[in-house]
Amino acid sequence: MRRLFPVTDQTVQTNQTDGTVTPRTGAAADREWSLDELADAYAYPEAGTGESRVWLRGNMVSTLDGAAQHDGRSQPISTAADMRIFGTLRALADVVVVGAETVRLEGYRPARARAEFAGRRAAAGQGPAPAVAVVTASLDLDFSLPLFTSPLVPTLLLTGAAADPGRVAAAEKAGARVVVAGDGMGVDPPRAVQALAALGYTRLLTEGGPRLLGQFIAGGVLDELCLTVSPMLTAGDAQRIAGGPSVAVPQRFALASLLEEEGFLFARYRRP
């Protein structure tokens, strides 16, 4: 039997006011967590608490020696529990924000509706599945892919005001919604967050890649990082979970919760 439990050997309870997670005694810890328990543990802050106006959460996996990928993909360093949490985080989000290169490398597909989360999403005023928002300067994407031809929610393309008009027209013809979030060719992270919020998307999830996560960090808009530490060593020259521009002063986040299964650690850090 798979086991998923906090390092304290206790399950946890989530404070719905501030989102903090604390141990809950008297509960079984030697079983796989239900999806409802995971959804409670990873719940977004309640609307109206002040800090939850828009909440950008990142979800990444890293090996012990800092590799975010192996052979260009994250799947080889992941595990079943990691994918279970991955699915839960998606099911809680309004929109999944991802870089164009990650879409190409990982073969991204549209988010699907999951019956297990239907009631929870309806109660939160969400549609059946999150939208996918692709950050792309060039709009150099294959618009015949399912991400564009068969999403439950139209795929969004976050791009700059100087994007090629021909590519914009091709994207819109394919059914994508183009959202301008930058003055030039690129996308400005704070403007991207603001543009998504203006569309009603306030529970944001980014799954990378490393360059995009680095841009969100440098832009000062990342509120939370869900990090899976994989008990693997790969060496080589794989990317870290975040790349691109550096910050002038390292940003310190606070540990909100920590789960463990078979050597994999599932940490959740939040902006203080």
Side-chain angles (χ1 to χ4, degrees), residues 30-54:
D30 59 347
R31 59 174 172 79
E32 183 180 86
W33 275 27
S34 71
L35 291 178
D36 276 341
E37 288 172 319
L38 284 176
D40 286 341
Y42 284 92
Y44 281 84
E46 289 280 346
T49 62
E51 63 181 340
S52 58
R53 69 288 170 208
V54 183

Side-chain angles (χ1 to χ4, degrees), residues 87-177:
T88 299
L89 295 180
R90 276 197 160 202
L92 296 174
D94 294 334
V95 61
V96 178
V97 188
V98 64
E101 185 63 15
T102 297
V103 167
R104 289 186 283 263
L105 290 175
E106 302 276 358
Y108 257 63
R109 301 181 65 84
R112 59 188 178 90
R114 298 183 60 184
E116 307 96 315
F117 294 98
R120 188 180 290 265
R121 290 188 65 86
Q126 297 171 302
V132 174
V134 183
V135 177
T136 171
S138 66
L139 282 80
D140 182 18
L141 296 159
D142 183 355
F143 297 127
S144 68
L145 294 176
L147 183 61
F148 302 101
T149 61
S150 58
L152 284 174
V153 184
T155 294
L156 306 172
L157 296 178
L158 300 174
T159 192
D164 179 79
R167 295 303 295 169
V168 171
E172 292 176 337
K173 183 177 180 180
R177 181 172 184 176

Side-chain angles (χ1 to χ4, degrees), residues 183-223:
D183 293 328
M185 287 293 294
V187 171
D188 176 62
R191 280 189 61 179
V193 171
Q194 293 164 8
L196 291 170
L199 295 175
Y201 300 126
T202 59
R203 305 172 188 90
L204 314 182
L205 170 67
T206 181
E207 298 169 350
R211 182 184 304 173
L212 178 61
L213 181 60
Q215 290 171 344
F216 282 137
I217 292 171
V221 293
L222 186 71
D223 297 295

Side-chain angles (χ1 to χ4, degrees), residues 2-3 8 28 33 56 60 68 76 83 107 123 152 198 202 218 237-239 263 268 270:
R2 246 182 225 106
R3 296 189 298 169
T8 55
W33 275 27
L56 175 59
M60 300 292 282
M83 296 309 298
L152 284 174
T202 59
D237 56 359
Q239 288 181 293
R268 189 165 65 94
R270 298 176 60 182

